[in-house]
């Protein structure tokens, strides 16, 4: 059953409406910060910008604090309002999405730390082009997942979930190419391994973006689609 039209409806208590809207806005604000962290980390890597990378690492603390704030808001709403139906799904989706956003922030900080290390090592290793490409791909996934959350757009969320497999293929292809490169030039092993860890973090960001997209589908459609394939989601939830 599609409950999109029931979301964010008005309640007898205007304060409850305000609390729900503030919760959603705080989640989207956190998402915007996390998306910027990912973008800045990728830029710092490919541009050998140590200062930019350090800034990404420092701002990770702010992301952690935002997650705690959202968790506290969700706990208060659950305790005081005892929400049901779409309101309950919104609170639960915000709780889960904030956790994935915090983990995306962690992955961005990891990329930034590798960027600092690679800058100190000097010559740019093979793999930067792949890192930029996959990085832009997953950043767009994060952006689209947040837009889907903001608009209660299940179709956009489904499109994000589909993109995860494409990212996985790009990651595996880039990894195979880098392994071959290391075998041909053993002197590059340390630097290229760092790039491979960057690619792994980017692949994980794609996974978290898919998770957020799945929470949107749950929020709008009322169906928990975690741990099931895209074909089943389409058939059982979207009738496609």
């Amino acid at each position: 059953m599609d409950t999109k039209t029931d979301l964010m409806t008005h309640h007898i208590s205007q304060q409850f409406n305000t609390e729900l809207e503030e919760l959603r806005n705080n989640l989207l604000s956190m998402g915007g910060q996390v998306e910027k962290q990912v973008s800045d980390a990728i830029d710092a890597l490919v541009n050998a910008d140590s200062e930019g990378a350090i800034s990404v690492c420092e701002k990770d603390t702010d992301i952690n604090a935002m997650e705690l704030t959202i968790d506290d808001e969700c706990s208060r709403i659950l305790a005081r309002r005892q929400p049901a139906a779409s309101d309950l799904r919104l609170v639960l989706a915000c709780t889960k999405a904030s956790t994935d956003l915090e983990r995306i922030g962690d992955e961005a900080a990891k990329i930034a730390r590798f960027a600092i290390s690679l800058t100190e090592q000097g010559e740019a290793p093979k793999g930067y082009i792949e890192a930029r490409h996959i990085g832009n791909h997953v950043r767009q996934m994060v952006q689209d997942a947040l837009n889907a959350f903001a608009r209660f757009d299940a179709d956009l969320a489904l499109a994000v979930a589909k993109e995860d497999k494409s990212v996985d293929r790009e990651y595996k292809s880039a990894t195979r190419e880098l392994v071959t490169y290391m075998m041909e030039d053993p002197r590059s092993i340390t630097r290229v391994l760092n790039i491979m860890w960057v690619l792994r973090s980017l692949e994980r960001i794609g996974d978290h973006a898919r998770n957020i997209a799945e929470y949107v589908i749950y929020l709008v459609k009322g169906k928990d689609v975690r741990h099931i394939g895209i074909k089943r989601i389409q058939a059982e939830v979207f009738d496609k």
Side-chain angles (χ1 to χ4, degrees):
M1 178 177 65
D2 193 332
T3 58
K4 183 174 180 179
T5 56
D6 296 329
L7 294 166
M8 300 302 292
T9 54
H10 290 289
H11 298 270
I12 295 176
S13 170
Q14 181 59 39
Q15 182 61 32
F16 188 16
N17 288 325
T18 301
E19 290 171 3
L20 290 174
E21 184 65 23
E22 183 176 354
L23 173 62
R24 190 169 70 108
N25 288 340
N26 285 343
L27 180 78
L28 295 174
S29 177
M30 180 183 181
Q33 291 294 322
V34 167
E35 183 188 341
K36 187 175 187 303
Q37 290 292 87
V38 174
S39 180
D40 288 349
I42 296 166
D43 287 344
L45 175 74
V46 298
N47 295 324
D49 181 2
S50 291
E51 290 186 6
I54 291 171
S55 177
V56 170
C57 294
E58 290 175 344
K59 290 178 181 176
D60 188 49
T61 302
D62 296 336
I63 300 299
N64 294 341
M66 295 175 86
E67 181 196 19
L68 294 176
T69 297
I70 290 170
D71 280 350
D72 187 53
E73 287 179 306
C74 290
S75 296
R76 288 202 309 271
I77 290 174
L78 289 171
R80 295 177 182 177
R81 305 295 184 181
Q82 298 182 347
S86 61
D87 295 329
L88 177 59
R89 294 201 302 276
L90 175 61
V91 175
L92 295 177
C94 284
T95 298
K96 292 179 179 296
S98 68
T99 298
D100 276 283
L101 287 173
E102 189 275 332
R103 290 174 180 169
I104 291 174
D106 286 345
E107 297 296 342
K110 287 180 188 177
I111 294 169
R113 288 193 291 272
F114 282 118
I116 294 170
S117 176
L118 287 161
T119 299
E120 292 172 350
Q121 292 170 12
E123 182 183 355
K126 186 176 179 61
Y128 274 22
I129 294 176
E130 290 84 352
R132 181 190 288 278
H133 176 71
I134 297 175
N136 287 335
H137 196 163
V138 299
R139 185 199 59 76
Q140 187 64 52
M141 285 180 66
V142 173
Q143 183 182 81
D144 288 345
L146 292 169
N147 285 339
F149 209 116
R151 303 170 188 166
F152 301 122
D153 188 339
D155 289 325
L156 179 57
L158 177 63
V160 173
K162 289 179 179 179
E163 285 299 309
D164 187 44
K165 285 201 172 188
S166 178
V167 169
D168 289 345
R169 287 193 297 268
E170 291 168 358
Y171 167 69
K172 291 176 182 178
S173 176
T175 299
R176 286 194 298 268
E177 185 176 341
L178 290 174
V179 168
T180 300
Y181 182 74
M182 286 189 295
M183 292 173 63
E184 294 173 350
D185 182 9
R187 295 170 301 176
S188 70
I189 288 176
T190 299
R191 287 175 294 151
V192 174
L193 279 175
N194 284 339
I195 285 291
M196 291 177 71
W197 282 115
V198 166
L199 296 179
R200 175 58 176 163
S201 285
L202 292 172
E203 189 270 339
R204 290 294 298 143
I205 290 172
D207 289 342
H208 291 303
R210 171 175 172 150
N211 289 346
I212 295 170
E214 290 175 346
Y215 304 146
V216 175
I217 296 172
Y218 164 71
L219 173 58
V220 176
K221 298 288 190 177
K223 171 81 172 178
D224 190 344
V225 297
R226 293 175 298 172
H227 312 306
I228 66 176
I230 294 295
K231 289 184 178 180
R232 278 189 60 193
I233 293 175
Q234 291 177 311
E236 297 177 14
V237 182
F238 291 83
D239 297 320
K240 294 183 178 180

